[in-house]
Amino acid sequence: MRGANELENASRRDFLRKTAMTGGGLILGLYIDKSGRSAETIAKPSSVSDAGEFILNAFIRIAPNGTVTLISKQPEIGQGIKTSLPMVIAEELEVNWQDVVIIQGDLDPVYGSQSAGGSRSTPTNYDEFHRLGATARTMLIQAAAELWQVSADDLIARDSAVHHPASGRHLSYGQLATNAATLKVPLPESIRLKDPKTYKLLGTRIGGVDNPGIVTGKPLFGIDVQLPGLLYAVYEKSPAFGGKVVSANLDKVKSLPGVRDVFIIEGGNNLKGLLSGVAVVADSTWAAFSARKQLEVIWDEGSVATQSWAGFTATARDRSKQQGTDILRNDGEVELALKQSAKTVEAAYSYPFISHASIEPQNCTAWYKDGAIEIWAPTQNPEAGQKIVSETLGIQKDKITLHITRSGGGFGRRLIPDYIIEAAAIALRVVGPVKLTWSREDDLRHDQFRAGGFHFLRAGINEKGKLIAWHNHFVTFANQVVVDGAPKLELGSGANLSGDEFPGRWIENCRLEQTPLECGIPMGPWRAPRSNVFAWVFHSFIDELAHAAGRDPLEFRLEILGDKGFLPGTGEQGIPYDVNRMKHVLQHVAEQAEWGKKEFPRGKGQGIAFHFSHRGYIAQVAEVTVSKQGKLKVDRVTVSTDIGAQIVNLSGAENQVQGSVVDGLGALMFQELNIENGRIVQSNFDNYPMIRIADAPTKIGVHFLKTDNPVTGLGEPALPPLAPAVCNAIFAAIGIRVRQLPLIKTDLRWS
């Protein structure tokens, strides 16, 4: 793409300065009302004054030299949205991709929601971006029709130009831009979208727009931000969650080389906000980190210091014998059905707290001056960052400018703005800009963790081998929060079971109950919240039941799915479930993986699983080898996906599925955080290992099934089925059932 390096990190103000000087051109955008809905499409000529008024609303600019600049409003965290969403506009616009420059938009309410999480970026913007590109194309065609005095119906747009086939004439978009900008915008109902059969860009392989900058070390990420006079900060918090500073040796640390200031910030009780700590501000990151080692802080650690994973485990076991605090589903007569079953199976599954461990640790740069604050942050949720700064520090929102930088991974971690409010609070005490950088130890020990959990399961099978009863008592975790002045327990993100969860709506006799354990551990969304662990539990247990019934695991699952067709959302999630779509991907993955057609010696096996997550229907088959010494190797993973009618960027889509498989396998095999005395024991990658190349699957086969359904996202749905598919394959290979994560806690040796 032309000019990508020049503008890749430009703010809208930079963009205005660079483009206003060119004169002429077409700027097109959408006004978004306060509810986040598109209100109207607008266009204006790009004079300096008009650009100053309109550029904050613009998504598209077509300059007289033919350059097409598209603004990407969603944060880019590695999911490829900075490339794929502009591709949607470019497809409808009929623009040559080589003519496109993409810049990251800052936080601005005219864009509507700018958060990137829950695989929602594509489904919430896909249709609107089609309409936006088609509107610009329509206006360019109309401009050419008026210049040539012909009917617009006789013209076509192709390769960044409008063509008149009858005469062979054509005009480039650059030549038409100024005229197009003077036209009245057509009504939405008059806009004709392209037939998907004619797409030339969507569905092809397009490299990420930032890829050249990444591989050449360009400063794209939050941690790369540099400003004149920049100072550097670290923030020491209590090793026990939520602890408060009693005292610290501030004067000694202030006297150390390169240190500008050291001060205590009182903070509050919000585990997702500004907690008590000591800030060290210095001339360099090294000076700040070095001075921090000399800090001596006395902490009031509070009651959380009595909490431990061992204690939680014992309490969960005791609570499992009692009735759950919350009854989420209670269909039929579960106890009677269990008594009448030909065979009953009981099992307890558990999984630990884990960290996001994104490669770029949390960081944020802030500059407070004249009652306003400017922020540069690698965030998934810029609105939340602005909100917490406003509410905590009393700065009006219109005085908060937030620049969205690229993030070096997120996986849900950067939806929580704790690091943003820390940087902003430090900036209030500093003259000039200051960059807060978390160490790797900070990142592991002060994460917003994926919650651990305990599932106590019972199920009944009749004499025909059919599942007739299901009972799950889920013991989970919650934080105490204050709502309207009153304390209440708030379940951790991903720590709440829904009555909609499979197989809740499929079993005639089904009881789902939930008991929260109060804890002081901060919890946040981790890639595919809920689904990332529920899929492992449910589909591992279903596999147990299939084997107990002497049934083929695929056949057993298809029987459970049955012929229910389309199930409306009824529980907390409220999301409908298309059974036929799931059966389709399940049967497809079995066919692609040659399920049941291979003979495996002992030590090798196949496992199958599926899950509906974030609107995506995904099924996977894993093939594994387990050596007699217990060494696991995942030989092959086959993935079939149904995420709707269109793959936007085939390269990005394959990357997301393959990345989900590798990410899910790493968490399954190795990742575990132990909690002692209210604090995380692990501190760095030496005792919190990440997956290495040697442990990655030898082969990952990815299959996309196009269906006549709305397009959805792909950053999360492909992860959940991986863990149960691998664990079920382990059982098929050596007869050992994995009921505790991570895998390294289970002895897989066999003889």
Side-chain angles (χ1 to χ4, degrees):
M1 287 181 306
R2 188 171 64 190
N5 288 340
E6 179 186 2
L7 285 172
E8 59 195 352
N9 266 342
S11 70
R12 286 192 303 275
R13 291 175 179 81
D14 295 328
F15 179 54
L16 173 58
R17 286 193 294 269
K18 291 176 186 290
T19 59
M21 295 184 292
T22 65
L26 170 67
I27 302 175
L28 183 69
L30 296 178
Y31 276 134
I32 309 293
D33 67 19
K34 291 182 179 179
S35 68
R37 297 171 299 187
S38 301
E40 63 173 322
T41 306
I42 60 173
K44 293 184 178 181
S46 61
S47 65
V48 174
S49 59
D50 271 346
E53 175 186 353
F54 179 71
I55 193 68
L56 298 180
N57 302 65
F59 284 89
I60 301 173
R61 177 187 174 90
I62 301 175
N65 66 4
T67 299
V68 178
T69 302
L70 306 179
I71 289 183
S72 178
K73 73 186 183 80
Q74 308 297 139
E76 175 59 66
I77 57 173
Q79 82 282 41
I81 208 71
K82 188 177 178 182
T83 304
S84 60
L85 278 180
M87 285 174 64
V88 177
I89 296 177
E91 179 67 68
E92 289 287 352
L93 186 55
E94 288 286 5
V95 64
N96 188 322
W97 187 248
Q98 299 305 313
D99 294 335
V100 174
V101 171
I102 299 171
I103 65 172
Q104 176 68 59
D106 293 338
L107 175 64
D108 197 299
V110 298
Y111 291 139
S113 173
Q114 288 183 259
S115 66
S119 296
R120 293 189 297 266
S121 295
T122 296
T124 56
N125 292 291
Y126 185 77
D127 291 341
E128 200 62 68
F129 276 33
H130 269 287
R131 187 170 71 86
L132 183 56
T135 300
R137 166 172 46 84
T138 301
M139 295 174 68
L140 289 159
I141 289 174
Q142 185 59 42
E146 293 187 5
L147 285 171
W148 287 329
Q149 294 297 295
V150 299
S151 170
D153 293 337
D154 295 331
L155 305 179
I156 60 172
R158 184 179 69 245
D159 293 332
S160 304
V162 176
H163 300 259
H164 185 225
S167 65
R169 291 177 293 180
H170 72 274
L171 287 169
S172 72
Y173 284 177
Q175 292 172 302
L176 292 168
T178 301
N179 288 59
T182 65
L183 299 177
K184 182 178 180 181
V185 177
L187 296 173
E189 55 267 25
S190 70
I191 302 300
R192 288 181 294 180
L193 303 182
K194 291 178 62 175
D195 184 335
K197 295 177 183 177
T198 67
Y199 289 166
K200 297 187 288 290
L201 185 61
L202 298 187
T204 65
R205 300 177 187 277
I206 300 295
V209 297
D210 284 340
N211 286 359
I214 292 171
V215 299
T216 56
K218 298 291 184 183
L220 305 175
F221 301 91
I223 207 164
D224 297 326
V225 170
Q226 289 294 323
L227 297 169
L230 185 65
L231 296 175
Y232 301 84
V234 293
Y235 192 56
E236 178 80 358
K237 295 192 289 288
S238 170
F241 298 112
K244 294 185 177 297
V245 178
V246 175
S247 63
N249 59 336
L250 304 183
D251 291 336
K252 176 183 176 181
V253 179
K254 284 180 184 178
S255 67
L256 295 174
V259 174
R260 292 292 190 94
D261 202 357
V262 185
F263 49 86
I264 294 171
I265 295 177
E266 292 299 326
N269 298 315
N270 179 6
L271 292 173
K272 292 178 169 57
L274 182 62
L275 296 173
S276 178
V278 180
V280 179
V281 181
D283 291 330
S284 68
T285 304
W286 177 254
F289 276 39
S290 299
R292 179 189 194 175
K293 294 178 181 178
Q294 303 300 315
L295 265 179
E296 296 175 3
V297 185
I298 297 175
W299 302 97
D300 175 2
E301 295 186 348
S303 61
V304 74
T306 64
Q307 297 176 1
S308 68
W309 181 251
F312 292 143
T313 302
T315 302
R317 195 178 301 115
D318 291 340
R319 296 284 180 87
S320 72
K321 300 170 186 176
Q322 307 167 21
Q323 179 172 300
T325 304
D326 303 305
I327 307 301
L328 308 175
R329 179 175 287 275
N330 193 21
D331 296 337
E333 297 287 344
V334 174
E335 294 301 327
L336 179 61
L338 286 169
K339 289 179 182 178
Q340 294 176 346
S341 296
K343 185 173 290 187
T344 58
V345 179
E346 295 190 21
Y349 282 75
S350 65
Y351 44 85
F353 286 82
I354 66 173
S355 173
H356 296 82
S358 49
I359 293 300
E360 179 192 23
Q362 310 316 309
N363 64 89
C364 181
T365 299
W367 192 348
Y368 179 77
K369 54 183 176 180
D370 301 326
I373 191 165
E374 195 166 1
I375 296 169
W376 293 259
T379 174
Q380 290 180 244
N381 194 352
E383 296 101 328
Q386 183 189 61
K387 182 174 185 288
I388 199 169
V389 170
S390 177
E391 293 179 350
T392 305
L393 304 181
I395 302 174
Q396 294 179 10
K397 284 189 177 182
D398 61 0
K399 298 290 187 181
I400 302 171
T401 301
L402 198 153
H403 305 288
I404 304 169
T405 70
R406 187 180 175 101
S407 297
F411 314 110
R413 172 60 180 95
R414 289 183 160 99
L415 288 167
I416 310 301
D418 48 347
Y419 58 100
I420 294 177
I421 184 57
E422 289 175 4
I426 293 170
L428 260 64
R429 303 275 294 268
V430 173
V431 176
V434 60
K435 181 195 294 184
L436 169 70
T437 305
W438 285 28
S439 67
R440 178 59 61 194
E441 289 79 6
D442 290 332
D443 208 54
L444 278 177
R445 289 178 166 171
H446 293 284
D447 200 350
Q448 301 287 326
F449 304 96
R450 186 201 74 183
F454 308 87
H455 294 257
F456 300 89
L457 297 142
R458 298 183 298 157
I461 302 166
N462 69 11
E463 64 281 354
K464 295 181 180 180
K466 181 178 180 180
L467 177 60
I468 61 170
W470 178 283
H471 176 222
N472 180 14
H473 188 171
F474 176 36
V475 182
T476 183
F477 290 93
N479 298 137
Q480 188 175 93
V481 297
V482 176
V483 179
D484 297 328
K488 63 168 288 189
L489 281 183
E490 180 179 80
L491 291 168
S493 174
N496 51 330
L497 182 62
S498 168
D500 274 2
E501 289 285 356
F502 184 85
R505 290 176 278 180
W506 283 260
I507 309 300
E508 183 177 356
N509 303 290
C510 180
R511 182 178 176 87
L512 305 178
E513 49 189 313
Q514 180 171 272
T515 297
L517 301 182
E518 183 180 344
C519 74
I521 317 300
M523 294 171 280
W526 192 96
R527 193 172 190 172
R530 296 199 240 213
S531 301
N532 59 62
V533 282
F534 291 170
W536 171 68
V537 173
F538 304 154
H539 288 283
S540 293
F541 190 53
I542 285 171
D543 207 69
E544 289 199 54
L545 299 176
H547 285 279
R551 304 275 301 279
D552 174 76
L554 170 62
E555 176 195 5
F556 191 72
R557 285 170 170 80
L558 288 171
E559 181 180 78
I560 295 173
L561 285 168
D563 57 0
K564 290 182 178 292
F566 189 83
L567 294 172
T570 57
E572 179 184 336
Q573 293 185 74
I575 298 175
Y577 194 115
D578 190 328
V579 176
N580 290 328
R581 292 177 72 182
M582 185 57 80
K583 289 168 67 176
H584 186 204
V585 297
L586 186 55
Q587 291 166 328
H588 184 269
V589 80
E591 178 182 337
Q592 295 299 317
E594 300 180 284
W595 178 266
K597 297 179 181 179
K598 300 179 182 180
E599 291 290 334
F600 293 101
R602 188 161 188 219
K604 290 181 177 289
Q606 268 188 335
I608 194 167
F610 67 84
H611 203 69
F612 172 60
S613 172
H614 295 78
R615 304 177 183 86
Y617 296 80
I618 315 286
Q620 297 185 15
V621 172
E623 294 181 16
V624 307
T625 299
V626 184
S627 71
K628 289 185 177 181
Q629 294 74 36
K631 174 67 175 176
L632 171 69
K633 178 59 182 175
V634 178
D635 302 311
R636 180 186 181 194
V637 177
T638 305
V639 186
S640 290
T641 80
D642 175 359
I643 56 166
Q646 182 64 51
I647 300 300
V648 178
N649 182 356
L650 182 56
S651 176
E654 287 177 339
N655 175 270
Q656 286 302 296
V657 174
Q658 293 164 349
S660 291
V661 168
V662 174
D663 198 15
L665 184 59
L668 168 69
M669 294 179 70
F670 305 116
Q671 292 175 10
E672 173 189 29
L673 293 172
N674 191 21
I675 301 164
E676 294 179 1
N677 302 317
R679 65 198 76 200
I680 298 296
V681 173
Q682 287 77 8
S683 61
N684 211 315
F685 290 147
D686 60 334
N687 51 17
Y688 189 80
M690 308 297 286
I691 190 169
R692 301 296 181 96
I693 291 175
D695 298 306
T698 304
K699 182 178 180 181
I700 303 173
V702 181
H703 305 275
F704 297 109
L705 308 182
K706 282 193 177 183
T707 59
D708 189 20
N709 292 286
V711 174
T712 189
L714 195 53
E716 291 164 294
L719 183 143
L722 183 280
V726 170
C727 291
N728 295 339
I730 290 171
F731 181 81
I734 59 175
I736 294 175
R737 184 64 67 181
V738 178
R739 299 192 185 98
Q740 184 181 16
L741 294 186
L743 258 175
I744 54 175
K745 300 183 78 69
T746 301
D747 188 351
L748 299 181
R749 290 175 295 179
W750 59 277
S751 61

